[in-house]
């Protein structure tokens, strides 16, 4: 793996941390501290173990931005779930790995009762997902379709269904 990444095989420092809870201000603080420490230590790679159903868009966007700004490559291993806000965070990473049986997607913005919120919020999340995918060279239509059930992606989704991908 190190040679594939262009990293010296003699010594590779990997900084690893978990995102295995609801995406909220505490996980944003945890991520910021972990990434700051990885940079201070001169890590060659940051590795996130993820299993989340999602959470708050503002915390997810802060984590996304921090990952996009990282001078160190950030990899994520989806151990079961990267739903909603977790999908946004995963898309920001340099590489995404998934354990068998894992899923990523279903990023429609919902309220506390699980009901879809007005299009103003959906529009923001659609384009945030799209912009993140574009930044990382991923298919922006698939990323946008994780939020928008009206977005049809040939061979991936049909109109009326929000995209969730498996391994």
């Amino acid at each position: 793996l190190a040679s594939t990444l262009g990293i010296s095989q003699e010594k590779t420092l990997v900084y690893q941390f978990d995102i295995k809870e609801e995406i909220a201000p505490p996980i944003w603080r945890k991520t910021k501290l972990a990434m700051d420490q990885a940079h201070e230590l001169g890590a060659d790679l940051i590795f996130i173990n993820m299993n989340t159903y999602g959470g708050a868009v503002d915390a997810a966007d802060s984590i996304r931005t921090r990952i996009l700004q990282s001078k160190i490559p950030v990899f994520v291993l989806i151990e079961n779930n990267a739903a909603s806000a977790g999908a946004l965070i995963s898309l920001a990473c340099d590489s995404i790995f998934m354990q068998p049986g894992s899923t990523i997607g279903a990023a429609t913005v919902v309220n506390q009762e699980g009901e879809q919120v007005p299009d103003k919020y959906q529009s923001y999340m659609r384009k945030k997902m799209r912009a993140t995918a574009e930044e990382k060279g991923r298919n922006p239509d698939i990323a946008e379709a994780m939020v928008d059930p009206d977005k049809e992606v040939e061979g991936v989704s049909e109109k009326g269904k929000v995209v969730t991908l498996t391994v």
Side-chain angles (χ1 to χ4, degrees), residues 15-19 31 35 46-50 63 67 74-78 89 93:
Y15 190 97
Q16 180 177 320
F17 70 100
D18 295 339
I19 295 179
T31 301
M35 294 192 68
I46 298 170
F47 194 90
I48 301 170
N49 292 306
M50 179 180 287
I63 294 168
I67 291 169
V74 180
F75 288 13
V76 63
L77 171 64
I78 299 168
I89 294 165
C93 294

Side-chain angles (χ1 to χ4, degrees), residues 1-123:
L1 178 63
S3 62
T4 305
L5 299 172
I7 298 171
S8 169
Q9 291 187 1
E10 291 178 22
K11 181 180 176 187
T12 301
L13 179 59
V14 177
Y15 190 97
Q16 180 177 320
F17 70 100
D18 295 339
I19 295 179
K20 295 187 176 180
E21 52 266 294
E22 181 179 342
I23 306 303
I27 195 60
W28 157 232
R29 285 189 295 280
K30 176 183 176 180
T31 301
K32 183 183 179 314
L33 290 172
M35 294 192 68
D36 287 349
Q37 187 173 31
H39 282 82
E40 288 169 14
L41 293 170
D44 298 300
L45 178 69
I46 298 170
F47 194 90
I48 301 170
N49 292 306
M50 179 180 287
N51 184 15
T52 184
Y53 289 111
V57 174
D58 59 342
D61 187 39
S62 294
I63 294 168
R64 166 210 175 262
T65 301
R66 183 67 178 93
I67 291 169
L68 289 175
Q69 293 173 347
S70 178
K71 292 177 177 34
I72 301 169
V74 180
F75 288 13
V76 63
L77 171 64
I78 299 168
E79 295 183 347
N80 193 26
N81 300 298
S84 197
L88 177 62
I89 294 165
S90 295
L91 286 176
C93 294
D94 296 288
S95 291
I96 301 171
F97 300 91
M98 298 173 71
Q99 287 184 341
S102 296
T103 54
I104 180 173
T108 303
V109 184
V110 296
N111 63 20
Q112 297 282 350
E113 289 77 39
E115 300 163 340
Q116 190 170 325
V117 297
D119 191 59
K120 171 183 177 177
Y121 304 100
Q122 304 307 333
S123 175

